[in-house]
């Protein structure tokens, strides 16, 4: 039911024959309370994070952001309709469910439940040490342009992914020299550029930290000083942390807004790129993914008949039983 691909959504809109009319000013009616957070002044940012994102061409009304806001508004009107056959009562049952994607509150709650599952695993393993690593890319400021020519926000997402993939292999084969479990979350800087927080189930010696920072710099992903940053201490049983899962989820939660009217300009840019390119916002090693899997119960009581989506004025069936 988690159909978040906007290209498929455009097909649904075409089938429906309806034409979405944006509200005045292109705004999306929010469901939360409070006002949007103001953008920080460029002078308030550290030198290595200063970018051109506050210029008019990078405003919150850019094309990608406008399309992202339209997507949230349109899907907020949709209902997923499931038609089932109740084998016990011998009757047809129709369920009307909200159209769920990653910006829906149900998705957020499911993700939080997964992170609590990670915490249960961590406790069951005796709270092994977790090294926290933050990976940041160059942006589009003067320093970044001097070093690598500068990265657009779209390039930054790609550089972050490919460089983490290479670094992960090097950690396994050359630095830690063994397979390891990990969990990562992505959040935006104030500028909207992404960075990763990675929890690695291992302890790092000083030479291993220096090698990691050097590799990140060699990939031209970020600088040696600011690109790969290790927390001063590990998370383990000796520390004050009692819930590693929630500790990591808070990073995800900073960019996990639901109502676009509550997003800062940077958060809007970040989420618009997640939507446009389908970037994942968190991930884990195979072993951690298994322990984070939510419990489910299979039932033979119901038989699937068909599914569809609808909104006021139209509906369409996109899958039927044979």
């Amino acid at each position: 039911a988690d159909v978040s691909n906007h290209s498929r959504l455009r097909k649904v809109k075409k089938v429906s024959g309806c034409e979405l009319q944006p509200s005045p000013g292109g705004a999306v009616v929010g469901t939360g309370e409070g006002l949007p957070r103001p953008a920080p002044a460029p002078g308030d940012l550290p030198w290595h994070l200063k970018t051109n994102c506050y210029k008019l061409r990078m405003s919150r009304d850019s094309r990608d952001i406008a399309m992202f806001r339209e997507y949230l508004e349109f899907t907020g009107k949709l209902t997923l309709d499931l038609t089932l056959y109740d084998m016990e009562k011998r009757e047809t049952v129709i369920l009307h469910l909200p159209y769920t994607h990653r910006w829906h509150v149900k998705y957020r709650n499911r993700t939080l439940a997964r992170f609590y599952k990670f915490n249960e695993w961590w406790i069951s393993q005796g709270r092994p040490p977790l090294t926290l690593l933050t990976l940041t890319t160059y942006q589009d400021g003067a320093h970044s342009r001097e070093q690598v020519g500068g990265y657009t926000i779209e390039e930054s997402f790609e550089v972050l992914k490919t460089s983490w993939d290479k670094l992960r292999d090097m950690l396994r084969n050359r630095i830690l020299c063994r397979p390891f479990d990990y969990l990562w979350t992505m959040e935006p800087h104030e500028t909207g550029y992404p960075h990763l927080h990675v929890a690695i189930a291992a302890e790092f010696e000083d030479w291993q930290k220096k090698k990691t920072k050097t590799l990140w710099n060699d990939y031209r992903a970020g600088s040696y000083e600011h690109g790969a940053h290790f927390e001063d201490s590990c998370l383990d049983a000796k520390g004050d942390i009692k819930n590693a899962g929630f500790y990591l989820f808070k990073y995800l939660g900073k960019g996990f807004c639901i109502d676009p009217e509550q997003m800062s300009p940077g958060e809007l840019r970040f989420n618009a790129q997640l939507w446009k390119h389908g970037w994942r916002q968190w991930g884990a090693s195979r072993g951690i993914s298994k322990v984070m899997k939510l419990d489910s119960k299979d039932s033979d009581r119901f038989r699937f008949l068909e599914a569809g989506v609808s909104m006021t004025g139209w509906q369409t069936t996109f899958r039927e039983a044979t």
Side-chain angles (χ1 to χ4, degrees):
D2 188 2
V3 187
S4 59
N5 189 300
H6 61 281
S7 63
R8 264 183 280 171
L9 177 57
R10 284 198 291 268
K11 293 179 182 178
V12 172
K13 292 167 68 177
K14 184 176 181 181
V15 169
S16 70
C18 70
E19 182 178 357
L20 180 63
Q21 297 294 332
S23 56
V28 176
V29 178
T31 56
E33 297 180 354
L35 297 174
R37 282 167 287 194
D44 296 337
L45 296 175
W47 64 270
H48 63 286
L49 291 183
K50 289 183 178 179
T51 74
N52 297 320
C53 74
Y54 298 103
K55 292 184 179 179
L56 184 61
R57 65 182 179 86
M58 295 291 189
S59 70
R60 60 192 295 149
D61 296 320
S62 69
R63 184 172 182 272
D64 289 345
I65 292 175
M67 292 175 64
F68 169 63
R69 291 162 68 98
E70 178 184 324
Y71 169 80
L72 293 184
E73 181 182 25
F74 183 73
T75 55
K77 302 174 183 178
L78 293 178
T79 299
L80 179 66
D81 307 311
L82 297 179
T83 304
L84 309 173
Y85 187 76
D86 190 329
M87 300 295 289
E88 291 184 6
K89 296 183 178 181
R90 300 294 178 179
E91 63 183 20
T92 300
V93 178
I94 301 178
L95 301 180
H96 301 286
L97 307 175
Y99 185 93
T100 305
H101 48 62
R102 74 168 83 182
W103 291 276
H104 194 281
V105 65
K106 285 193 173 184
Y107 178 88
R108 181 189 177 98
N109 292 340
R110 285 200 304 265
T111 303
L112 177 59
R114 290 179 185 273
F115 275 67
Y116 276 119
K117 296 283 285 186
F118 167 80
N119 193 69
E120 293 173 4
W121 168 84
W122 184 62
I123 293 175
S124 70
Q125 298 299 309
R127 296 185 179 184
L130 296 175
T131 295
L132 299 180
L133 171 63
T134 300
L135 299 173
T136 301
T137 70
Y138 289 110
Q139 300 190 11
D140 66 346
H143 176 69
S144 296
R145 291 195 298 274
E146 178 183 331
Q147 298 299 314
V148 296
Y151 291 141
T152 66
I153 189 169
E154 293 183 81
E155 291 171 338
S156 178
F157 273 89
E158 182 65 33
V159 168
L160 191 63
K161 176 187 181 300
T162 57
S163 299
W164 162 238
D165 288 344
K166 291 187 289 187
L167 179 61
R168 185 181 61 237
D169 290 341
M170 291 297 290
L171 289 172
R172 180 175 61 247
N173 298 323
R174 298 292 181 86
I175 299 178
L176 295 176
C177 298
R178 63 174 177 82
F180 61 93
D181 283 313
Y182 60 86
L183 172 64
W184 61 265
T185 62
M186 183 190 295
E187 69 161 325
H189 288 293
E190 293 173 329
T191 59
Y193 276 71
H195 60 280
L196 290 185
H197 294 285
V198 188
I200 301 173
E203 290 187 272
F204 282 66
E205 298 180 13
D206 287 342
W207 74 267
Q208 293 172 317
K209 293 180 180 180
K210 291 179 180 178
K211 182 62 176 178
T212 300
K213 294 166 71 71
T214 298
L215 284 171
W216 196 252
N217 179 70
D218 290 345
Y219 297 151
R220 296 173 61 83
S223 67
Y224 180 91
E225 296 81 6
H226 304 286
H229 173 72
F230 287 90
E231 294 291 337
D232 293 334
S233 60
C234 292
L235 293 179
D236 56 26
K238 297 176 290 185
D240 295 330
I241 187 71
K242 295 182 175 62
N243 193 322
F246 188 76
Y247 183 89
L248 296 169
F249 184 81
K250 75 175 184 179
Y251 291 118
L252 184 68
K254 290 180 182 179
F256 214 159
C257 300
I258 297 172
D259 184 353
E261 296 306 314
Q262 304 248 346
M263 297 181 189
S264 68
E267 288 169 341
L268 272 172
R269 296 184 74 206
F270 174 80
N271 282 281
Q273 292 302 314
L274 292 180
W275 167 77
K276 180 180 179 180
H277 296 285
W279 295 113
R280 297 176 62 189
Q281 202 174 350
W282 67 275
S285 60
R286 185 175 301 178
I288 297 298
S289 296
K290 289 181 180 179
V291 302
M292 294 178 74
K293 186 177 181 179
L294 298 180
D295 299 328
S296 61
K297 296 181 180 179
D298 294 329
S299 174
D300 294 329
R301 176 175 173 178
F302 296 96
R303 293 290 184 269
F304 171 79
L305 296 180
E306 66 179 29
V309 289
S310 63
M311 63 182 293
T312 302
W314 66 269
Q315 66 180 41
T316 182
T317 298
F318 61 80
R319 183 181 176 190
E320 296 182 353
T322 56

